[in-house]
Amino acid sequence: MSYPSFASHQIGDYRVTVLSDGNMSASLELLCGIDIAEAGEIQRNVGIAEPGNIHINCYLIRGAGRTILVDAGTGGLNNAGGKLKENLYAAGSSPEEIDTLLLTHGHPDHIGGLLDIEGRPVFKNATLHLNALEAKYWRNDTWQKQASERGQRNFALVRRTLDAYEKSVRFLDGNEITKGIHPVWLPGHTPGHTGFRIESDNKSLVIWGDIVHFPHIQSAQPAVSIAFDCDPVQAEVTRKKILEQAAREKWLIAGMHFARPGFAHVIPENNGYRIAYVEA
């Protein structure tokens, strides 16, 4: 089966396809540790015409008798994204065919598409996998009370979503999820922020979630954090570690906020790294 409209890569038994959910606006002012003018210059130097525009990706994994979706986009929340479902159909699949949902974390641009307008599960036949620390964080009343008004809405969304999928939620324990696919704990952005590593035939593809929101900026300067990070210090440590490992081991990387190619290699450059997109 071919997927002419979507970038995809074959890793052993699995074909991994990037599905766009669309875009969302995020000002460069959300970044910490870099001058806004410098951040804008980095964006312009790589040909990004709208420096504050962030792409939203999800990933469809098919093979070994499984149909897996990593993250579910915004569902159109906050007037952002919402293109996942139509792209899922265009890629030859459907919500009903998804048997496994892998969640990187609970922010609305990753879980908004899990519920329909009436609050019912969109992926009725799927088992939902996430880090137990993630669920614990969003269930914490103290953290919710300390959040901003918008943050409190995010807490409420996660709780509604976990309640709706209650019977099909499984917590990751570090072990293999299915043959050749392992979770990778990447804390900082959220306490249970998790990536997923697919290994087969000496090939590795790592879906690293929100390690970067502005790929070119935060790879060139890994110390740069964003306001969405729950623990900016831990997020920086995690980002530096996985950037170094990805470059050293020449992993193929998939990122939820990569540009349309959806896949990239990490190349050491100066005192940081460069994101080099890989066409399918």
Side-chain angles (χ1 to χ4, degrees):
M1 184 179 294
S2 62
Y3 312 95
S5 300
F6 303 92
S8 62
H9 291 268
Q10 189 76 32
I11 306 294
D13 293 332
Y14 298 106
R15 177 161 290 273
V16 184
T17 303
V18 59
L19 299 180
S20 172
D21 186 55
N23 300 313
M24 66 179 184
S25 296
S27 170
L28 294 178
E29 294 179 356
L30 293 167
L31 294 172
C32 180
I34 189 171
D35 181 78
I36 293 176
E38 184 181 1
E41 183 178 1
I42 292 173
Q43 295 287 77
R44 288 188 292 273
N45 285 344
V46 293
I48 297 175
E50 300 177 77
N53 192 45
I54 292 181
H55 200 73
I56 305 167
N57 291 322
C58 305
Y59 291 85
L60 179 66
I61 305 172
R62 289 184 277 200
R66 307 295 294 272
T67 304
I68 301 168
L69 183 65
V70 185
D71 285 354
T74 69
L77 294 175
N78 303 319
N79 297 312
K83 304 292 186 183
L84 171 64
K85 187 180 288 189
E86 65 182 77
N87 282 326
L88 186 61
Y89 283 119
S93 190
S94 69
E96 293 74 24
E97 289 183 359
I98 303 300
D99 57 60
T100 305
L101 277 163
L102 306 180
L103 295 186
T104 61
H105 63 296
H107 282 155
D109 53 316
H110 301 263
I111 70 163
L114 291 176
L115 300 180
D116 64 19
I117 195 169
E118 296 179 354
R120 299 172 302 193
V122 171
F123 302 93
K124 300 176 182 179
N125 300 315
T127 301
L128 190 155
H129 297 257
L130 79 161
N131 192 300
L133 291 174
E134 193 70 9
K136 184 178 180 181
Y137 170 75
W138 294 106
R139 292 286 195 188
N140 187 299
D141 291 335
T142 300
W143 283 109
Q144 182 181 29
K145 290 175 182 177
Q146 293 176 356
S148 65
E149 182 179 346
R150 181 167 182 169
Q152 290 188 22
R153 292 198 298 271
N154 293 346
F155 274 85
L157 173 63
V158 175
R159 294 179 183 201
R160 289 198 305 273
T161 303
L162 292 178
D163 288 346
Y165 283 87
E166 181 180 10
K167 294 181 179 179
S168 57
V169 171
R170 304 290 182 272
F171 294 121
L172 301 167
D173 58 9
N175 293 320
E176 191 175 59
I177 300 164
T178 188
K179 182 182 177 182
I181 301 180
H182 292 82
V184 182
W185 185 42
L186 301 171
H189 182 54
T190 61
H193 180 241
T194 300
F196 300 95
R197 181 170 178 170
I198 305 170
E199 289 185 289
S200 183
D201 301 330
N202 296 318
K203 292 183 180 180
S204 289
L205 186 156
V206 176
I207 301 172
W208 72 8
D210 280 10
I211 288 294
V212 295
H213 287 76
F214 293 93
H216 298 288
I217 296 171
Q218 292 179 283
S219 59
Q221 298 189 31
V224 174
S225 63
I226 194 165
F228 307 137
D229 290 336
C230 290
D231 185 340
V233 174
Q234 180 65 67
E236 178 185 339
V237 171
T238 297
R239 183 164 42 254
K240 288 179 175 178
K241 180 179 178 180
I242 196 167
L243 281 166
E244 187 278 330
Q245 192 171 6
R248 173 168 43 84
E249 299 191 21
K250 295 180 173 58
W251 291 344
L252 182 63
I253 297 293
M256 275 49 198
H257 298 300
F258 278 179
R260 184 162 292 278
F263 301 91
H265 288 296
V266 176
I267 310 298
E269 187 171 274
N270 300 323
N271 294 320
Y273 301 89
R274 174 171 56 86
I275 295 293
Y277 286 118
V278 177
E279 297 293 341

